[in-house]
Amino acid sequence: MARRKPLGLSLFWRTFFLLALLLAGGVFAWLQTLRALELEPRAVQAAQQTAGLVNLARAALKTSDGISRVALLKSLTAEDGARVTPREPKDTWETFETDRFSRRVGQELRSVLGEDAIAARSVNGVKGLWVGFSIERERDKTRDFFWLQAGPAHEAGVNRETLLTWTGIAFLATLVGSVAIASLINRPLKQLSFAASRIREGDLDSRLDENTLTSEIREVNMGFNRMARELARVEEDRAVMLAGISHDLRTPLARLRLETEMSVEDEEAKRNMAMDIDQLDAIIDKFMDYARPGDSQLRPVLVSPLIDREASLFRDPSQIRITSRVAIDLQVLADETELARVFLNLFENARRYGRGTDTGVAEVMITYVKTGPWAIISVRDHGSGVAPEKLSQLTTPFFRGDAARTAATGAGLGLAIVEKSMQRMGGTLELANASDGGLVAHLRLKRAI
């Protein structure tokens, strides 16, 4: 069973989310701190203002007699500010202390007015901040109880709309700041990733800024540029070496073929020696193909005529028979030379290792399907296939499966060349065993639209 690719975030988004979480947490913490710092003075101020009204009313009522007290209550009730009414035993009221702010107000009122002071948010169904207080009579030491309505209940802090507005602005600034900081942090890494991708594609001229202010990034860029220069030098040396190998090996091979034709009289020996020379020449071609630089010019290529042309090179029906069911108008974006090399190597691999156990002939079938913008061309033989655990190793240079070892006359580079050529053309190669026997190679290429 294939392993599922783990989910992951890019470095930019991971940095963004971490910064956004940090800044949002900071905004929330500051908001709570400001609310806590604001609550105390507002509660004390509201309580002191209300207590002042109560003390004024208490002083006025205490110095008045019974007749003038009634007139005083009426005059206080008529004013737009405080309202003072007698407190009756049958009065119903709701406590004012329901949250942190109101509890602090109640505590401050009791500290100023005495422990018998009552703070209520409604009395007999009338909403407001009501304070219950008492006045002691000097003659009989009894107490009279009153309500003072100081006005509407005080709210803690700013109103909800203002709070939501400023909180939204703060979080929006947090997101914008997180994007800016994450972009700034990840810009050098993005440039490094882009330069590395160009190196991977064969462009060795990538250069990173070696004068950046960040010392760590500057050192990384300098190291990367040194690596790119070394790779360019190695690539140049390799091109010179390959040209030398091709010339130096083929020259004596040509002389051997000429001497064989002129000096060997036995026709069978001459034929065998010529086959050995051809095999050596083919092995050199394999090495040259595998080490070829990765520059491919992609253009629309008709697949069916190309397959027919490469299949025509295998003329011996006693070894291989190739049948193509690819539509005549199927076009893919590819390098024609590279794609021809792909089919040539697949046919040669089938001829050597894909022969049927009954007939000894390699029956090769070529089919295709279209899936979205892609075309998948399948090249299948009807041989014995490959052990499932060795499928992933078939494209390893110089690797041969067990079934192929007894007839191993190649260099072991055929499928490795196929995979490398497909990568150069922006496609993929997938090898699998057919359900009823044989090896199938799926070539995935972009369709030309």
Side-chain angles (χ1 to χ4, degrees), residues 165-216:
T165 299
W166 284 104
T167 303
I169 292 174
F171 277 102
L172 180 61
T174 296
L175 293 178
V176 174
S178 299
V179 170
I181 295 173
S183 300
L184 185 64
I185 292 175
N186 289 282
R187 185 182 303 164
L189 296 177
K190 187 175 182 180
Q191 293 172 349
L192 179 61
S193 175
F194 178 72
S197 66
R198 293 183 62 186
I199 292 288
R200 184 177 63 249
E201 294 169 359
D203 183 2
L204 301 178
D205 292 330
S206 299
R207 293 292 181 268
L208 296 175
D209 184 13
E210 297 185 1
N211 298 317
T212 182
L213 296 178
T214 307
S215 59
E216 291 82 1

Side-chain angles (χ1 to χ4, degrees), residues 303 325-326 330-332 343 366-379 422 428-430 440-447:
V303 179
R325 295 181 179 174
V326 176
L330 177 65
Q331 283 187 312
V332 296
F343 286 111
I366 307 169
T367 57
Y368 81 102
V369 293
K370 296 178 181 179
T371 170
W374 299 91
I376 300 178
I377 305 168
S378 300
V379 180
M422 292 298 296
T428 59
L429 167 69
E430 181 182 350
V440 56
H442 298 293
L443 308 175
R444 179 185 174 95
L445 287 166
K446 199 89 169 181
R447 286 197 294 129

Side-chain angles (χ1 to χ4, degrees), residues 396-416:
T396 303
F398 311 112
F399 176 82
R400 298 187 182 93
D402 291 338
R405 288 178 180 172
T406 56
T409 58
L413 287 172
L415 294 179

Side-chain angles (χ1 to χ4, degrees), residues 54-70:
V54 171
N55 286 330
L56 288 174
R58 177 183 284 173
L61 291 171
K62 193 172 184 179
T63 57
S64 63
D65 55 18
I67 297 176
S68 61
R69 180 175 292 181
V70 174

